[in-house]
Amino acid sequence: MKIISTNIAQPTKFIWNGEEITTGIYKKPTDVPIYLGKKDVRGDEVSDRKVHGGEFKACYLFSANHYPHWQALYPNLDWTYGMLGENITIEGLDEKQLYIGDIYKLGNALVQITQPREPCFKFAYKFENKDVLQQFIDHGHSGTYVRVLEEGNVKTGDTFKLIEHAKASVSIFHFFELLYAEDKNKTHIKLLLHNDALPLRIRKRLNFFLR
């Protein structure tokens, strides 16, 4: 798989329910390599570290293959890579083939697949439509966050190559589906409970559904 865009954001402010909000969702393509650190992408705005950045969300990847779907739904928006909030846009990225715990070589960095992106109000504000949240869930292709095992640079034209496949795991696609399903797949939950590529708080959240 090939990296076709690297994207970072400067802080952007907007008013939401009378409160000033700062966000890093307005990412734009770069013409230089980006550096993947253990907690974030160097130089990229991470405004709310309770939900973005950190060990398990150091960098967000999204597939270029899904862009036509979103462009057709929102043709009047200003479309560039990074529009879905991703740091790295990858050609051929398939959430059904990405398993939580998989290890990939990403440019000069080594990363581990961790969890899907869950859309929030900032995403709705950017798309100027609250319906985009449910549309994102229904589409099922969430992209993925990664943990950075070895820091390094990533540039356009680099590759995303599988190094080690996780055993007894669940794909990002099916985990994203699980998060929003009324009838939770208990088999998938049991596989995820002991997967240390997921933060403990998420595993505790999943364990609730086995009671």
Side-chain angles (χ1 to χ4, degrees), residues 24-143:
I25 200 172
Y26 288 87
K27 301 200 189 304
K28 299 293 183 184
T30 70
D31 57 4
V32 295
I34 60 173
Y35 186 82
L36 274 56
K38 291 294 182 74
K39 297 294 181 68
D40 54 30
V41 175
R42 184 179 292 169
D44 185 45
E45 170 67 15
V46 181
S47 302
D48 185 352
R49 290 185 179 269
K50 296 191 296 292
V51 291
H52 298 291
E55 179 184 359
F56 296 94
K57 291 183 176 182
C59 181
Y60 176 48
L61 319 181
F62 194 79
S63 178
N65 300 53
H66 303 319
Y67 264 74
H69 171 83
W70 293 107
Q71 287 174 301
L73 285 177
Y74 295 93
N76 297 324
L77 296 181
D78 182 17
W79 283 94
T80 62
Y81 288 124
M83 185 66 180
L84 276 292
E86 77 275 16
N87 295 109
I88 300 176
T89 316
I90 300 179
E91 188 175 58
L93 189 77
D94 182 356
E95 292 89 345
K96 292 181 180 179
Q97 302 301 319
L98 299 175
Y99 283 76
I100 296 165
D102 282 353
I103 296 175
Y104 280 80
K105 190 71 174 177
L106 179 57
N108 291 330
L110 192 69
V111 302
Q112 184 177 49
I113 304 299
T114 56
Q115 62 194 91
R117 183 222 183 99
E118 298 176 61
C120 69
F121 73 95
K122 296 176 183 178
F123 189 70
Y125 181 86
K126 183 178 184 181
F127 275 74
E128 302 173 358
N129 187 345
K130 61 180 177 58
D131 293 338
V132 73
L133 301 179
Q134 191 60 50
Q135 290 166 349
F136 189 84
I137 292 166
D138 291 343
H139 191 229
H141 295 283
S142 61

Side-chain angles (χ1 to χ4, degrees), residues 98-102 113-114 165-172 174-175 178 184-199 202-204 206-207 209-210:
L98 299 175
Y99 283 76
I100 296 165
D102 282 353
I113 304 299
T114 56
H165 180 61
K167 297 180 176 64
S169 188
V170 174
S171 73
I172 285 290
H174 288 114
F175 182 38
L178 174 69
K184 306 291 187 187
N185 185 315
K186 302 296 193 300
T187 300
H188 285 173
I189 291 175
K190 289 174 182 176
L191 285 172
L192 292 168
L193 286 181
H194 303 291
N195 192 325
D196 63 7
L198 281 176
I202 287 185
R203 286 183 275 160
K204 287 181 177 178
L206 291 172
N207 190 50
F209 296 106
L210 293 180

